[in-house]
Amino acid sequence: MKPLIITLMLSVSASVSAREWTYSDCVEWAREHNISLQQSRLSEELSGYTLEESKAQWQPSLDFATSHNYSNAPWGNGNKNSYTSNYGINAGWTLWNGGIRENTIKRDRLQMDAAALNTDDMMRSLETDLLSVYINILYAGESISIYEEAAELSKAQAERARQLMEAGRVSKVDYAQLEAQYEQDRYALVNARGTYDTRRMELKRLLELGIEEDITPLNIEWSEEQVLAELPPIEESYRLAAATDVKLKALELQQESADADIAIAKGSRLPKISLNAGVGTGYFAPGDGFGTQMKQAFNESVGLTLSIPIIDNKKSKTAIAKANVQRINSMLDIQSRYNDIAQTVESWYIDLRAAQSRYKAAEEQVKATTLSNDLVNEQFSLGLLNTVELLTAHNNMLEARHSLLQAKYMAMLGHKMIEFYRTATVTMP
């Protein structure tokens, strides 16, 4: 049986690792497997139980009680030992307690709804984390291609320099410099691959994937039109972000919950009315027979209790004051959240516009440095230029391509983040 289970687990792991993951795949997997989310859902469940307990306060209480006592009077007259037992069923129901029950139910329902919103907010944060890591992986993967091409180019240059050196057209120093450039590009390629693996490990951590599992994001091609797409009005994005922000909704529920706490605290100052009823009987030995005594001692009772608080050592006053402070604090939290949303949206607009500007500049720089590098390579092959000029042209082209790539992915990350804050979703291939 165990080998079969192990085989099934390995086959599931292999199916998870074999396919290419889209961003949507990552989100859905995290929704089901992220440990923090599962713990948050358990908190929701606990809030539901608390609400059930509050609702049950409308129901009457019922209990059965029995007591048994044995006494010994060694110097008494007559019977020196006696046995007493009592049996009773008691019921109680609070008719009114100053609205505490109603407001407790209201508060606990708000707390349960807030717990659900907190889970949603945690999922939203996880989605943005996944988005950032996912796009960083795509960026790191495309960076590898740039460094591979650079390494191939520097290798060809070093090989051409070796041929020119053997023909006596360049010195050993020139050849050594180009060979060193090739090794430097190879080292940069190794670093780029390491960065790619590190980013994938970050994605695995967010997805709660084990060490034995691998993950490869699906590559996405973005056009220049998508990178340079016009931004929607920032004021509109702010309004939509505030309207779809679940953390803000949770804070508003917390404010309503503080209002309920104030009502509960005020209710403790009001009179309470409760209804009590019970039936009971007892037995005493030595005495008449058990059945006779139980019948004769049988009694029924019903009563109404009015409790009026007079002095409670400032418990009610303190509770009201604390609830008011909590309400003010909730209002400040809401105001702070609005400020955070505004700053976050504005920050992404600034970063996106800067990335688009860098992208336009980098495009022209890539064209110029690529043309320059091609011309310098031709002139070097003819022996018209030295290695310093060749290396400078090579590094300038590599830096320009890297700047273009970085600006491209920063811009797309900004686009997707703004889209997420506006609609609470991200459209990714």
Side-chain angles (χ1 to χ4, degrees), residues 201-253:
M201 183 184 68
E202 293 175 2
L203 183 59
K204 286 175 60 178
R205 177 180 58 81
L206 290 173
L207 298 177
E208 308 289 354
L209 292 175
I211 192 173
E212 72 282 355
E213 295 170 342
D214 197 5
I215 183 171
T216 302
L218 180 67
N219 191 37
I220 301 175
E221 294 293 336
W222 281 306
S223 65
E224 179 180 342
E225 289 75 15
Q226 290 174 295
V227 174
L228 300 178
E230 186 176 352
L231 300 178
I234 188 172
E235 296 82 4
E236 180 185 83
S237 295
Y238 167 69
R239 288 195 300 271
L240 290 173
T244 59
D245 188 72
V246 293
K247 188 171 185 178
L248 184 59
K249 295 177 182 178
L251 291 174
E252 290 171 348
L253 290 182

Side-chain angles (χ1 to χ4, degrees), residues 243-293:
T244 59
D245 188 72
V246 293
K247 188 171 185 178
L248 184 59
K249 295 177 182 178
L251 291 174
E252 290 171 348
L253 290 182
Q254 291 293 347
Q255 182 180 348
E256 293 183 40
S257 177
D259 292 335
D261 282 331
I262 293 174
I264 292 171
K266 289 181 178 179
S268 63
R269 287 178 167 178
L270 301 176
K272 298 174 179 60
I273 304 173
S274 58
L275 178 65
N276 303 286
V279 294
T281 186
Y283 171 73
F284 177 82
D288 296 335
F290 179 79
T292 301
Q293 285 198 45

Side-chain angles (χ1 to χ4, degrees), residues 150-162:
E152 287 295 325
L153 179 59
S154 58
K155 180 181 179 181
Q157 290 173 340
E159 178 62 25
R160 177 58 179 163
R162 185 186 63 78

Side-chain angles (χ1 to χ4, degrees), residues 42-59:
L42 290 176
S43 297
E44 286 184 53
E45 190 174 348
L46 290 175
S47 299
Y49 291 138
T50 301
L51 177 60
E52 287 184 16
E53 183 181 4
S54 299
K55 290 179 178 179
Q57 300 308 306
W58 279 101
Q59 301 173 6

